[in-house]
Amino acid sequence: MDDDDGDIYRFQDLLDPAEREILGRVRDFMRTEVAPMIDGFWADAEFPHHLVGPLAATGLANLVCSDRPGPTASSLLKGFVAAEMARVDPSFATFYGAHAGLAMASIARCGSPEQRRRWLPAMGRFDLVGAFALTEPEGGSDVAGGMRTVVHRAGGARSVKAGRPARGRVWR
């Protein structure tokens, strides 16, 4: 890696050669495809959707799935990929993180075998793009300000529910 990569402690040296090659592809993609034009998209409050296809060519979305071809990516590599993207453009890093990390990883870890077969290959190619959203009745996606967790006694046992408190006694 080059001296201008921000890794002053040389943690990249802990990556194996294949992982360093992947990180190099990410760095090149972000430097040549994203950096030269992203300021205009920021100014227009738009996302560069035309870069999703070229991003797919890097094979990055498949890093989160253990059933993809090749070895499973290390957490260190995944962290460097996120940092490298965010270094050039935080919105692009967020897009990738929501697609690969939140959407794909949730299906990979919690989905049924049928769901994994149905969704993950197309998501790995970016033929389908995953999204993630949080909503609460009084807080929109503002989890910190609008979500409340309350405990209710139901049938002699306590149950935890997120959202508005129901009528009756609230356990603290």
Side-chain angles (χ1 to χ4, degrees), residues 18 25 37 46 48 57 63 69-70 79 82 84 88 95 109 112 150 152 157 168 171:
R25 281 198 323 254
M37 44 64 62
E46 294 180 0
L63 292 180
E84 190 62 39
V88 173
F95 163 78
R109 289 186 183 102
S112 68
V150 296
H152 303 276
W171 296 88

Side-chain angles (χ1 to χ4, degrees), residues 91-114:
S91 66
F92 209 82
T94 301
F95 163 78
Y96 174 76
H99 173 75
L102 293 171
M104 286 185 72
S106 295
I107 295 169
R109 289 186 183 102
C110 303
S112 68
E114 177 186 345

Side-chain angles (χ1 to χ4, degrees), residues 3-170:
D3 290 334
D4 190 30
D5 59 20
D7 183 16
I8 61 173
Y9 294 110
R10 307 309 314 153
F11 286 120
Q12 293 173 64
D13 295 343
L14 299 173
L15 298 171
D16 66 36
E19 289 179 322
R20 281 195 295 274
E21 191 273 325
I22 291 168
L23 186 58
R25 281 198 323 254
V26 173
R27 181 167 291 134
D28 289 344
F29 175 80
M30 295 302 293
R31 185 183 69 243
T32 62
E33 301 292 327
V34 178
M37 44 64 62
I38 201 62
D39 288 346
F41 282 86
W42 267 94
D44 294 338
E46 294 180 0
F47 182 79
H49 293 280
H50 70 281
L51 292 179
V52 173
L55 178 65
T58 67
L60 289 180
N62 283 324
L63 292 180
V64 300
C65 298
S66 60
D67 57 351
R68 68 177 177 82
T72 302
S74 68
S75 295
L76 186 61
L77 174 61
K78 292 175 193 176
F80 270 116
V81 165
E84 190 62 39
M85 287 184 166
R87 190 167 75 117
V88 173
D89 178 47
S91 66
F92 209 82
T94 301
F95 163 78
Y96 174 76
H99 173 75
L102 293 171
M104 286 185 72
S106 295
I107 295 169
R109 289 186 183 102
C110 303
S112 68
E114 177 186 345
Q115 289 169 327
R116 289 192 296 273
R117 280 190 305 274
R118 179 177 179 187
W119 299 108
L120 293 178
M123 291 175 79
R125 295 186 306 269
F126 284 93
D127 292 342
L128 296 175
V129 175
F132 186 84
L134 296 171
T135 59
E136 287 297 318
E138 296 176 16
S141 60
D142 177 16
V143 176
M147 182 181 275
R148 292 179 290 187
T149 301
V150 296
V151 178
H152 303 276
R153 183 173 290 281
R158 290 182 180 184
S159 64
V160 177
K161 296 181 179 181
R164 303 173 115 194
R167 290 184 159 196
R169 186 171 180 186
V170 176

